[in-house]
């Protein structure tokens, strides 16, 4: 990857050398500013089950409010199966999305307000729907899906099929083992708020909730679905967008 003179350093986040990556691993290229994506990078490594080859581009310095020419800061070229955008600057995010569109590479830019073809911009990471273009990342990370094992009136175990890249889904699910079924969805939402790394100050005036509160509601709804009345011990993965 060629870097411009002001482009930040790159690093591999894999525990093994790139040439030793798992066969068929999806190549993820992460762009972040001031370590904004570190919790997600760590979560992907822990809960990705060896399905991903990670490379990170970090911009760790102050930028002007308006960037007329982002080519001074973004790599001149890059290759990946999927781009994850954890940049803070809107000009960088927009131009990165355009670069990805021109290269035919999908990009996940959670929380960003942009209208660029090929860019997925859910309000928070755990609101990302399934889509075949997202490959293995979309199968493993995004809107949570659970399988619940129940003994009597208590939860025995929750298996996370798909969850938030920050790892909050897995951490919260582990805390619910042994808890009563009654009130479990509310408890899931509460636990997720302890582990969610979204910015709680990012209040959305339309929905009237912060990202952390929204994450709680999404996880609570996913657990209610997994404990559905037709078969409370089985969760079925959600609809896959064929586009």
């Amino acid at each position: 990857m060629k870097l411009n003179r002001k482009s930040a350093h790159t690093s591999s986040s894999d525990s093994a050398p790139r040439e030793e990556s798992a066969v068929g691993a999806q190549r993820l290229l992460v762009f972040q500013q001031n370590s904004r994506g570190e919790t997600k990078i760590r979560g992907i490594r822990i809960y990705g089950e060896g399905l991903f080859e990670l490379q990170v581009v970090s911009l760790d310095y102050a930028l002007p409010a308006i960037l007329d020419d982002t080519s001074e800061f973004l790599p001149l070229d890059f290759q990946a199966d999927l781009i994850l955008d954890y940049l803070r600057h809107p000009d960088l995010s927009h131009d990165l999305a355009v670069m990805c569109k021109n290269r035919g590479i999908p990009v996940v830019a959670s929380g960003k307000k942009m209208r660029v073809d090929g860019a997925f911009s859910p309000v928070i990471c755990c609101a990302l729907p399934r889509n075949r273009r997202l490959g293995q990342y979309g199968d493993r990370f995004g809107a949570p899906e659970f399988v619940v094992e129940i003994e009597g009136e208590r939860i025995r175990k929750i298996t996370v099929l798909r969850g938030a890249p920050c790892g909050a889904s897995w951490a919260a699910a582990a805390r619910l083992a042994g808890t009563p079924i009654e009130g479990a969805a509310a408890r899931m939402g509460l636990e997720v708020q302890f582990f969610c790394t979204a910015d709680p100050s990012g209040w959305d005036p339309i929905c009237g909730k912060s990202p952390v509160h929204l994450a709680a509601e999404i996880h609570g709804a996913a657990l209610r679905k997994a404990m559905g009345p037709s078969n409370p011990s089985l969760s079925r993965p959600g609809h896959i967008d064929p586009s």
Side-chain angles (χ1 to χ4, degrees):
M1 181 189 303
K2 296 180 180 178
L3 299 178
N4 298 324
R5 60 185 178 87
K6 293 185 180 179
S7 182
H9 65 276
T10 64
S11 64
S12 172
S13 292
D14 294 314
S15 57
R18 294 172 63 89
E19 63 270 19
E20 296 179 6
S21 298
V23 175
Q26 185 181 25
R27 298 173 301 162
L28 303 182
L29 179 57
V30 180
F31 287 82
Q32 67 169 346
Q33 274 182 269
N34 303 321
S35 303
R36 188 183 185 189
E38 287 301 321
T39 58
K40 281 84 169 181
I41 294 167
R42 183 167 59 251
I44 293 170
R45 293 182 64 188
I46 295 172
Y47 302 105
E49 298 185 336
L51 296 174
F52 307 102
E53 179 182 314
L54 277 159
Q55 188 174 13
V56 180
V57 175
S58 298
L59 286 78
D60 298 326
Y61 41 78
L63 295 173
I66 298 176
L67 292 175
D68 294 323
D69 183 8
T70 59
S71 65
E72 295 186 54
F73 304 94
L74 295 173
L76 297 174
D77 60 359
F78 53 82
Q79 294 181 347
D81 299 316
L82 179 68
I83 303 297
L84 302 180
D85 172 10
Y86 299 120
L87 297 168
R88 292 181 179 273
H89 202 294
D91 293 334
L92 288 175
S93 288
H94 177 271
D95 288 2
L96 175 62
V98 172
M99 294 169 71
C100 290
K101 174 186 175 182
N102 294 337
R103 289 166 169 78
I105 303 173
V107 56
V108 177
S110 301
K112 308 296 175 61
K113 294 178 174 62
M114 64 172 66
R115 299 293 181 186
V116 179
D117 290 342
F120 296 82
S121 52
V123 62
I124 52 178
C125 294
C126 57
L128 179 69
R130 283 181 174 267
N131 188 292
R132 288 193 177 94
R133 292 198 66 215
L134 299 175
Q136 294 172 160
Y137 179 88
D139 290 340
R140 189 63 174 161
F141 299 107
E145 297 170 3
F146 303 122
V147 168
V148 182
E149 298 177 26
I150 295 174
E151 286 184 350
E153 297 299 318
R154 291 183 177 273
I155 292 175
R156 179 178 178 274
K157 179 182 179 182
I158 299 177
T159 299
V160 182
L161 302 179
R162 188 172 189 261
C166 68
S169 307
W170 285 267
R175 296 281 290 271
L176 264 70
T179 61
I181 297 172
E182 184 177 356
R187 173 73 182 277
M188 169 63 79
L190 179 62
E191 294 290 349
V192 162
Q193 291 183 78
F194 292 135
F195 298 105
C196 179
T197 60
D199 183 0
S201 67
W203 198 269
D204 190 325
I206 296 178
C207 70
K209 295 179 175 63
S210 76
V212 175
H213 293 143
L214 183 56
E217 290 195 357
I218 289 173
H219 281 77
L223 186 60
R224 280 192 294 271
K225 179 180 179 181
M227 298 189 301
S230 62
N231 191 341
S233 64
L234 178 64
S235 168
R236 295 177 176 83
H239 172 71
I240 298 179
D241 185 346
S243 62

